[in-house]
Amino acid sequence: MKGDRVSSGIFGLDDLVAGGFPKNSIILLAGGPGTGKTTFSLQYLYKGIVDYGENAIYVSSEEDFNEINTSMSAFGMDFEKVSNEKKFSMITFEGSTEIKELISRIKNSAKQIKANRLVIDSFSSLELFASTYKSVINELPLSALRLPSSVMVPTEAIVRKMLYKLISSLKQLGLTTILTSEFDGSTKYSRYGVAEFLVDGLIVLHYSSIGQKKFGNIEIKKLRKTKHTHGIFDYDLTEKGFEIFVEHGPSIIMK
């Protein structure tokens, strides 16, 4: 951690975001399948632990510990070691897990290892089951709950309330957080197009191919409290991990 900034741990990214993410911020990382969201997120956690002494929690609905330890070892990252040292904690959940319970598990884990960093992979899973979260629905305004039984409470309203609840809890814990989100190339960067307006930052990953050549692009759409660089930059997964080629300059300049 550098003052009020938290290093991203991503090669090249800190140069684009004034030295790192704002401390205690919530970042939405959106991208399609295969764009490297999980690698990006785990590298953010691992580098925070080994380079800055910032313990970390990984919350996953899809991965298990052996899978992440094996996949990240290809980049020289030993999650088994940092886990044994009580510097890293992993929480697995099903999308149908009540959000109140998940927040409680995060709080307990954060207290146990004195965590500074958090990743929820993926927020899309929480959105999918948002309409089943009774603890969120019960906190909605009475006007919404008094709708005729034949009318469903809009899912967008539930997602918005859930995210407010989640963000408030994470900020109280002092966690600088990445939420991953599936992005299909439309104008929405989350399932219901709500999260991107409530979070502090939005980073979008694209992966394309021309003939046999495949390449990734990253764009920082927004980052509060930060004079960030505008433009679309190339990235790739190298032997070091997720790496942005800042020295090449933006492949597309955005204004």
Side-chain angles (χ1 to χ4, degrees):
M1 190 180 299
K2 296 170 284 187
D4 61 349
R5 315 299 293 186
V6 174
S7 174
S8 67
I10 304 300
F11 299 107
L13 183 55
D14 286 358
D15 293 334
L16 304 179
V17 294
F21 301 138
K23 182 182 177 182
N24 211 22
S25 59
I26 312 289
I27 311 297
L28 188 70
L29 179 66
T35 51
K37 296 186 299 299
T38 296
T39 300
F40 182 113
S41 300
L42 287 168
Q43 186 170 318
Y44 160 70
L45 298 181
Y46 188 82
K47 294 295 184 181
I49 294 170
V50 300
D51 293 345
Y52 298 97
E54 298 173 6
N55 295 349
I57 303 169
Y58 180 59
V59 180
S60 176
S61 59
E62 299 176 359
E63 307 285 344
D64 66 32
F65 181 79
N66 289 334
E67 288 175 341
I68 70 164
N69 189 51
T70 300
S71 62
M72 297 306 290
S73 66
F75 306 115
M77 302 181 203
D78 189 346
F79 275 89
E80 184 173 12
K81 181 176 184 293
V82 293
S83 179
N84 290 338
E85 294 172 343
K86 309 300 182 185
K87 297 176 180 178
F88 172 80
S89 176
M90 181 170 177
I91 298 172
T92 56
F93 74 100
E94 296 181 355
S96 56
T97 301
E98 170 62 55
I99 189 67
K100 185 177 180 179
E101 177 189 338
L102 182 59
I103 291 173
S104 177
R105 291 173 66 187
I106 292 171
K107 285 182 178 179
N108 290 338
S109 185
K111 183 178 180 180
Q112 288 173 2
I113 68 168
K114 297 181 174 59
N116 305 100
R117 298 180 179 221
L118 170 73
V119 165
I120 298 180
D121 186 15
S122 70
F123 178 71
S124 300
S125 297
L126 297 180
E127 289 182 295
L128 185 62
F129 288 91
S131 60
T132 69
Y133 299 149
K134 293 181 180 179
S135 64
V136 175
I137 295 172
N138 291 339
E139 293 181 6
L140 288 171
L142 288 176
S143 57
L145 299 177
R146 287 173 178 165
L147 289 171
S149 59
S150 60
V151 179
M152 295 289 290
V153 177
T155 304
E156 290 85 349
I158 300 174
V159 170
R160 182 178 292 273
K161 183 65 178 178
M162 174 191 70
L163 190 53
Y164 273 129
K165 188 181 185 76
L166 182 63
I167 288 175
S168 175
S169 297
L170 299 182
K171 285 184 177 289
Q172 286 177 18
L173 291 170
L175 297 170
T176 305
T177 302
I178 291 177
L179 309 175
T180 69
S181 175
E182 292 294 334
F183 170 56
D184 61 6
S186 67
T187 56
K188 294 180 179 179
Y189 298 102
S190 57
R191 184 178 294 274
Y192 297 101
V194 172
E196 50 264 47
F197 293 100
L198 301 183
V199 295
D200 300 302
L202 172 61
I203 298 175
V204 182
L205 305 179
H206 302 272
Y207 212 69
S208 308
S209 61
I210 299 177
Q212 298 297 315
K213 182 176 176 57
K214 296 182 178 181
F215 55 93
N217 297 126
I218 184 170
E219 181 182 2
I220 303 149
K221 287 284 189 179
K222 77 170 187 178
L223 191 57
R224 291 173 183 158
K225 302 178 183 178
T226 305
K227 187 176 181 180
H228 65 83
T229 303
H230 295 272
I232 297 176
F233 290 81
D234 296 333
Y235 76 84
D236 201 358
L237 301 184
T238 70
E239 68 278 0
K240 296 191 295 184
F242 197 107
E243 184 174 5
I244 302 171
F245 303 113
V246 178
E247 68 276 10
H248 297 172
S251 53
I252 301 176
I253 298 175
M254 309 297 289
K255 295 183 178 180

